[in-house]
Amino acid sequence: MKKIVNVLRTLVLLIGGFFYIFIYGSIVLLIAALLGKEKGKDFALKQIEIFGRLAFKVLGVKVFVCGKKPDVNANYIVVCNHQSILDIPMVVGYVGPTPFIAKKELAKFPILNVFLIKYLGSELIDRGNIRQTATAIREVMRKLKEGYHFVIFPEGTRSPDGQILPFKPRSLEIAFKSKVPVLPITIWGNHLVIPKHKLIVKGDKTGMMFGDLVYPENFQTEEEMRNYVEGVIRQNAEKLKEVIEGEESNC
């Protein structure tokens, strides 16, 4: 019976995802264009947030959210572990429509790339192009001064089994140099819902946990701060796993 349910969820993912992103996404872009720059952006961002939460509801996946998100008006960089293609919908749905610092490959997805770049203000990095990477980082630094939040996946890739991978060297250098606080967010369960390199829904529970803000000025080096943040995310992964497996409503 469970296999049949998972097959149905997978069909919803494939068919629903296509219609929502390409059909409804096109409609949203058209309405946003008609509303004008400011109202259009507000409308598009709201639809992105709705999409993030709706993705889990439509798939029949229960999301446990632990901890408290800080004031959205406060400036911070979200640092999050990476498990699945569901991580981006989870972040924009439950953290908010926040721009990403991500690999340039995301630009290959039509409609989706417009939302990520034009409306979210994400910066995509070509790791093989030093000049482009430097330009993108300068743009991130500029936007941070304007109050933007950004999301970083410091592992650099999705974990195949959910275990936290070592953070890449200098992955938090932007936060450290700009003295912008880091918000550690732990995800656990998305790898069980949709595993890496697969488009089949296999689970029905996942969750995320907000950590406390981490302030760069409390550390001597980027490495020291990076190791601390990685440790927080690892510890919270164990706590979150217990919450999800025990289906605790209060976490």
Side-chain angles (χ1 to χ4, degrees):
M1 183 63 182
K2 187 175 181 180
K3 289 184 178 180
I4 295 175
V5 172
N6 286 342
V7 169
L8 293 175
R9 286 196 181 111
T10 301
L11 289 175
V12 169
L13 171 69
L14 297 174
I15 299 173
F18 173 82
F19 277 96
Y20 199 94
I21 293 174
F22 293 99
I23 307 301
Y24 186 69
S26 297
I27 294 172
V28 168
L29 291 179
L30 177 60
I31 294 174
L34 293 174
L35 288 174
K37 187 176 180 179
E38 293 301 323
K39 289 184 178 179
K41 182 177 181 179
D42 291 341
F43 173 75
L45 290 177
K46 186 61 179 178
Q47 296 307 308
I48 291 172
E49 185 173 359
I50 291 172
F51 162 74
R53 291 175 178 258
L54 190 62
F56 293 91
K57 291 181 179 179
V58 170
L59 293 175
V61 176
K62 184 175 182 179
V63 180
F64 295 81
V65 180
C66 302
K68 185 178 180 181
K69 181 174 70 172
D71 182 359
V72 293
N73 293 318
N75 199 10
Y76 54 80
I77 293 177
V78 175
V79 174
C80 184
N81 62 307
H82 202 6
Q83 293 192 333
S84 166
I85 60 172
L86 287 175
D87 296 345
I88 290 179
M90 177 174 277
V91 170
V92 298
Y94 292 90
V95 180
T98 306
F100 291 78
I101 302 174
K103 295 181 289 187
K104 68 171 185 176
E105 284 74 16
L106 281 176
K108 296 179 181 179
F109 296 93
I111 304 299
L112 183 62
N113 60 7
V114 178
F115 286 111
L116 283 170
I117 299 172
K118 180 177 180 179
Y119 289 109
L120 284 181
S122 298
E123 291 294 331
L124 305 184
I125 293 176
D126 181 358
R127 292 176 179 171
N129 188 328
I130 297 176
R131 180 175 295 179
Q132 188 276 336
T133 298
T135 300
I137 290 175
R138 284 197 297 270
E139 189 64 13
V140 170
M141 300 286 278
R142 182 187 68 80
K143 289 180 178 179
L144 284 172
K145 292 179 180 178
E146 295 179 358
Y148 274 69
H149 306 307
F150 273 94
V151 180
I152 298 175
F153 295 116
E155 295 162 289
T157 187
R158 288 170 286 168
S159 171
D161 57 4
Q163 299 303 314
I164 312 297
L165 300 174
F167 285 11
K168 296 289 186 182
R170 300 175 62 185
S171 55
L172 301 190
E173 190 168 19
I174 292 175
F176 185 76
K177 285 187 173 181
S178 62
K179 301 302 179 186
V180 173
V182 165
L183 175 62
I185 290 183
T186 301
I187 290 175
W188 179 265
N190 279 352
H191 67 293
L192 299 175
V193 179
I194 301 181
K196 184 177 181 179
H197 299 316
K198 293 184 180 179
L199 280 177
I200 181 168
V201 181
K202 302 182 69 174
D204 60 1
K205 290 186 293 184
T206 188
M208 70 185 309
M209 179 176 286
F210 292 93
D212 295 327
L213 287 174
V214 177
Y215 296 90
E217 54 266 31
N218 293 333
F219 301 89
Q220 295 296 318
T221 64
E222 182 272 343
E223 181 181 13
E224 183 184 346
M225 184 180 75
R226 173 173 21 99
N227 290 338
Y228 177 83
V229 173
E230 181 180 339
V232 170
I233 290 177
R234 288 183 183 277
Q235 290 175 9
N236 286 345
E238 295 302 317
K239 297 177 184 177
L240 186 56
K241 184 178 178 181
E242 291 179 3
V243 168
I244 295 171
E245 290 178 348
E247 296 197 13
E248 299 174 23
S249 58
N250 186 9
C251 60

